[in-house]
Amino acid sequence: MPLATDAPVAGDVDGDVASGNVTHLRQADRTEHLRIVEAVIFASSEPVAAADLARNLPEGCNVDGLIGELQGLYAGRGVNLVRVAGKWTFRTAPDLASALQVDAVERRKLSRAAMETLGIIAYHQPVTRGEIEEIRGVSLSKGTLDTLMELGWVKMRGRRRTPGRPVTYGTTEGFLVHFGLDSLADLPGVSELKGAGLLDAGLPPDFDIPLPAEGDALAPDEDPIEDGFEPALEMHLPAAADEA
């Protein structure tokens, strides 16, 4: 019969198990600490200082070591952990910047004055600035025509054969494309405009809308614009008058 001293010592077995548990727990804790650092930096809209990270971790944690390990984990990823202004944040990997370019369409709401001016040009073209102001009854603000030309809906056609040779304006192909028109003849007539509430129902019975000239051919009273021509500066009333 073997002596009792030959049997395994219970304390030694317990010690081995305890040692394994301690190693396992330490590794689990470190993984949890890494997750906490990752979550805090990810959730923050601004770079996070190491001192702020430490406040979210148990006392005595090696914050710098955790940050270094997290940097290594993200080194080959689509986002990297980087230091900016002494703080830490996630940023897109530099080599992926070209793949993340996005073209955004800027939507701009036209003012009432711009819409009225566009409608006058569409139906009365070729038309001069002075004729637009006469039809509207108010002076155009400085940037109304510029805005419509920047949008590619209005262009300078020619110069009227009248004193001062004012510039005439007309719509462009871009205008037709944007509003889904095949030609200027597809512009809504009086009945359609009344039905849409854009014209007063009490208009005179002989009221009519002019049929705009089709194509880019100059009218008999227009001359071509000289190469290098730039419109002269004009005097305008304050912008507020345009909305009166």
Side-chain angles (χ1 to χ4, degrees):
M1 183 173 180
L3 296 175
T5 54
D6 295 336
V9 180
D12 292 343
V13 174
D14 293 342
D16 291 342
V17 173
S19 176
N21 285 341
V22 169
T23 302
H24 176 73
L25 289 174
R26 285 177 180 172
Q27 182 61 35
D29 288 346
R30 186 168 185 81
T31 301
E32 188 67 14
H33 296 163
L34 278 173
R35 295 179 65 224
I36 292 173
V37 172
E38 181 182 33
V40 171
I41 297 176
F42 179 81
S44 178
S45 59
E46 301 291 336
V48 184
D52 294 328
L53 292 172
R55 282 193 281 271
N56 292 277
L57 295 167
E59 186 176 354
C61 281
N62 182 2
V63 178
D64 291 337
L66 291 171
I67 292 174
E69 187 171 343
L70 199 60
Q71 269 189 302
L73 292 174
Y74 276 91
R77 308 281 294 273
V79 291
N80 300 149
L81 181 60
V82 298
R83 178 169 174 154
V84 291
K87 301 178 180 180
W88 297 95
T89 187
F90 286 113
R91 291 284 172 86
T92 303
D95 59 312
L96 298 180
S98 59
L100 298 179
Q101 292 180 352
V102 177
D103 294 328
V105 177
E106 180 184 3
R107 299 191 178 276
R108 294 161 53 182
K109 185 176 180 180
L110 288 181
S111 66
R112 179 179 176 180
M115 289 301 297
E116 290 177 355
T117 301
L118 180 61
I120 292 171
I121 294 173
Y123 282 98
H124 292 264
Q125 60 184 304
V127 61
T128 66
R129 183 190 190 96
E131 291 167 344
I132 296 171
E133 293 176 336
E134 182 179 355
I135 295 170
R136 290 193 66 229
V138 292
S139 296
L140 283 176
S141 63
K142 184 176 181 180
T144 301
L145 282 171
D146 292 339
T147 298
L148 294 175
M149 287 194 288
E150 286 174 6
L151 289 171
W153 295 349
V154 169
K155 65 180 179 182
M156 294 184 292
R157 285 175 48 97
R159 302 188 71 167
R160 184 65 52 78
R161 293 177 184 172
T162 57
R165 302 187 66 206
V167 175
T168 57
Y169 296 91
T171 54
T172 66
E173 182 179 321
F175 167 81
L176 297 176
V177 172
H178 182 83
F179 289 96
L181 304 173
D182 184 41
S183 68
L184 293 174
D186 294 329
L187 286 168
V190 175
S191 58
E192 290 90 344
L193 292 175
K194 283 183 178 179
L198 299 175
L199 285 180
D200 189 350
L203 289 171
D206 59 345
F207 178 82
D208 195 13
I209 294 179
L211 183 64
E214 287 279 7
D216 294 329
L218 297 178
D221 61 346
E222 286 182 290
D223 287 327
I225 294 179
E226 301 85 352
D227 292 339
F229 167 78
E230 294 184 6
L233 294 176
E234 302 179 58
M235 296 296 292
H236 305 282
L237 294 179
D242 195 27
E243 303 294 342

